[in-house]
Structures are given as C-alpha cells and as structure tokens.
Amino acid sequence: MIEASRDKNDRGSLVDVIDRLLDKGLVINADIVVSVAGVELLGVKVRAALSSFATAAKYGLEFPSGTNLETAAWKEAQSGVETCPQCGKEVSKEELLNDCCPWCGWMSAKAEKRLKEKELQGVPLIAAPVQQ
C-alpha cells in the first residue's frame, strides 16, 4: 500500500496520531528481568495491545469475556471494510479488491488483471471504471 508522504515540518494533530494508532495498532511485548550475581530476583512480563475493534478483529485478537459481539460496531468491524489507498474512504474489501473503489475509481492490480483478461476474451464490458 502506498501512502502519501509528509513534510518533515508538517506536524500531525493529536487526533491524527490517535487515528493512526487505532488504525494500525500498537503491540508492546516486553520481558524485564532484574538479577544480581546471576540470580534472578524479579521478572515481569508485559503484554499489551492497543487498537480499534476493526484492527483487532482483522488480526484475530481475542477480546475479554463479557464483550458483546452482537453490537452494530462489532458487526461492522467483522464486515471486511478496507480503506481505499487513493481517496481514503472505507469500502467493502471484496469490492475494493475485485472491482474498483466506487468513490474515486481506484483499481487493485487483481481487478486490472481481470479486466484485461475479459478484454482479451472479447467479453463486452457493461461499465468501465472511472480512472483519475
């Protein structure tokens, strides 16, 4: 996935940082051991994950017992929504990978390959995707 580059002087706001953190996720996995003369005195294992429900569901993280998995937000997270790399809008993963983005017309390599194969076979196309 290609992302837009930022200027070094361009600073993101706190909202941008939190949005990116929840979108990508953060995992902390640390083992801290305090020992004296080769004798382990204290050992601490830290395992923490911070992400949105959508990111956590995408990577199959388990949720605490008592989490209501029947809410609308949980169903949306499981629905397979992906962000278009060109316009940044959320689109169904299947539609984005197999057809094109309905907002900007961006096509994945898989969709472009299928379109070229159809053209070579002489299959008439009902509507061609919009390219910008």
Side-chain angles (χ1 to χ4, degrees):
M1 181 164 111
I2 299 173
E3 294 186 30
S5 62
R6 299 181 89 174
D7 246 357
K8 290 182 180 180
N9 297 331
D10 184 22
R11 293 185 177 173
S13 67
L14 180 60
V15 174
D16 293 335
V17 171
I18 291 172
D19 182 50
R20 185 170 196 86
L21 181 65
L22 291 177
D23 181 44
K24 302 295 181 188
L26 171 71
V27 176
I28 298 171
N29 186 6
D31 294 332
I32 302 168
V33 178
V34 177
S35 60
V36 175
V39 177
E40 186 176 313
L41 299 175
L42 177 67
V44 178
K45 291 187 177 189
V46 178
R47 308 282 185 264
L50 175 66
S51 69
S52 66
F53 273 109
T55 303
K58 181 177 177 181
Y59 293 105
L61 295 177
E62 292 185 30
F63 293 94
S65 60
T67 302
N68 184 1
L69 303 178
E70 300 302 318
T71 62
W74 181 257
K75 289 178 182 177
E76 182 181 330
Q78 297 251 341
S79 69
V81 175
E82 195 70 37
T83 303
C84 175
Q86 184 170 326
C87 66
K89 303 224 184 208
E90 291 187 348
V91 182
S92 161
K93 183 185 284 186
E94 291 297 317
E95 183 177 11
L96 192 60
L97 292 178
N98 295 324
D99 297 324
C100 67
C101 175
W103 299 100
C104 66
W106 178 86
M107 290 182 66
S108 68
K110 180 179 179 183
E112 287 179 355
K113 182 179 176 184
R114 283 186 32 196
L115 185 63
K116 287 179 184 176
E117 287 174 356
K118 285 182 180 181
E119 288 175 352
L120 291 174
Q121 294 172 355
V123 175
L125 301 174
I126 296 172
V130 177
Q131 291 291 328
Q132 290 182 345

